[in-house]
Amino acid sequence: MSSETINEDITKEEQEQQMVDSEAWQQEISLSVNMKTRYMYSFLFQHLHRSFKGIFGVCISLAALVIFVMSLGNTEDTTRMVILLIIGLLFTVVNPILLLIRAQKQVLLSPIYKQPLQYTFCKEGIKVSQGDEEQAIEWNRIWEVRKTSSILIIYTSRNSGSILAFKEMGVQRQHVERVIAEGCMAAGVTRLPASMKKLDIPTAD
């Protein structure tokens, strides 16, 4: 068999696989998502530290720690050293602990997290259901999509959104991300993670 024939066969196989993948993206994908403290903490942590308040606070704390370390040999002003240490630990140690406590309380006390949330991704948008209640979110209602190391966040406003843990997605993670990127970009949503923007998907006019 000639190399040209082999190349043609490979090309045909790739085209067939692309067709199968393309058809797969058009199907509905459903996920059952359980909320856990670590997922909520990841959301709260990134949400705060990507805001002006969070960035400013961390910068102030780091600056205070630097000044504290540089002043360790100076024992004349103990009060100033204590204040610097408190400010330095505020956003680097204390605030993360408070966020963890807050995340734990939200997951334990909020009725919505007592049962898994069912997410269905389709061409029209996202359906979120729990028991007899269901909410539909069209793609053009999505404000932003963000990623952390453990979760995907679909914002419908500046301060609220859906939290999807990668561990909960399992083997469907790649499919889910593809459908979300396709739906958002087709609807003209541009605030997406860089990895999603790299997908070869037509955008809205």
Side-chain angles (χ1 to χ4, degrees), residues 13 19 22 26 31 37 45 68 74 77 83-85 88 98 105 111 119-120 123 132 142 160 162 168 189 192 199:
E13 289 179 1
M19 290 177 65
S22 178
Q26 300 304 318
L31 288 175
T37 299
F45 186 87
F68 173 80
N74 183 10
D77 195 347
I83 293 174
L84 284 172
L85 182 59
L98 294 177
K105 284 184 177 179
Y119 289 86
T120 302
K123 186 176 181 180
D132 297 330
I142 293 176
S160 62
S162 299
E168 299 290 318
V189 180
L192 302 172
L199 298 175

Side-chain angles (χ1 to χ4, degrees), residues 18 39-40 45 78 98 104 107 131 141 156 168-169 178 180:
Q18 289 176 357
Y39 306 153
M40 180 61 70
F45 186 87
T78 305
L98 294 177
Q104 188 175 36
V107 173
R141 285 181 53 201
T156 50
E168 299 290 318
M169 296 185 197
R178 174 77 187 212
I180 292 172

Side-chain angles (χ1 to χ4, degrees), residues 15 20 23 26 31 36 60 88 94 96 119-120 128 153-154 156 159 166 177 184 203 205:
Q15 290 176 346
V20 171
E23 291 175 358
Q26 300 304 318
L31 288 175
K36 297 181 180 180
I60 292 296
V94 176
Y119 289 86
T120 302
V128 186
I153 308 167
I154 304 173
T156 50
N159 297 312
F166 296 138
E177 289 191 18
C184 286
T203 57
D205 295 334

Side-chain angles (χ1 to χ4, degrees), residues 123-176:
K123 186 176 181 180
E124 292 75 23
I126 305 171
K127 298 175 184 176
V128 186
S129 60
Q130 188 180 60
D132 297 330
E133 298 182 4
E134 182 176 290
Q135 179 185 9
I137 305 171
E138 295 79 13
W139 295 116
N140 59 12
R141 285 181 53 201
I142 293 176
W143 183 71
E144 182 180 9
V145 178
R146 290 183 187 174
K147 277 185 179 182
T148 72
S149 60
S150 59
I151 61 173
L152 182 72
I153 308 167
I154 304 173
Y155 281 94
T156 50
S157 69
R158 187 177 294 273
N159 297 312
S160 62
S162 299
I163 304 170
L164 304 174
F166 296 138
K167 189 173 182 179
E168 299 290 318
M169 296 185 197
V171 296
Q172 296 193 90
R173 174 181 171 179
Q174 193 175 27
H175 289 199
V176 171

Side-chain angles (χ1 to χ4, degrees), residues 37 40-41 44 99-109:
T37 299
M40 180 61 70
Y41 174 76
L44 294 175
L99 284 179
L100 181 59
I101 295 172
R102 179 183 169 189
Q104 188 175 36
K105 284 184 177 179
Q106 285 191 222
V107 173
L108 291 176
L109 301 180

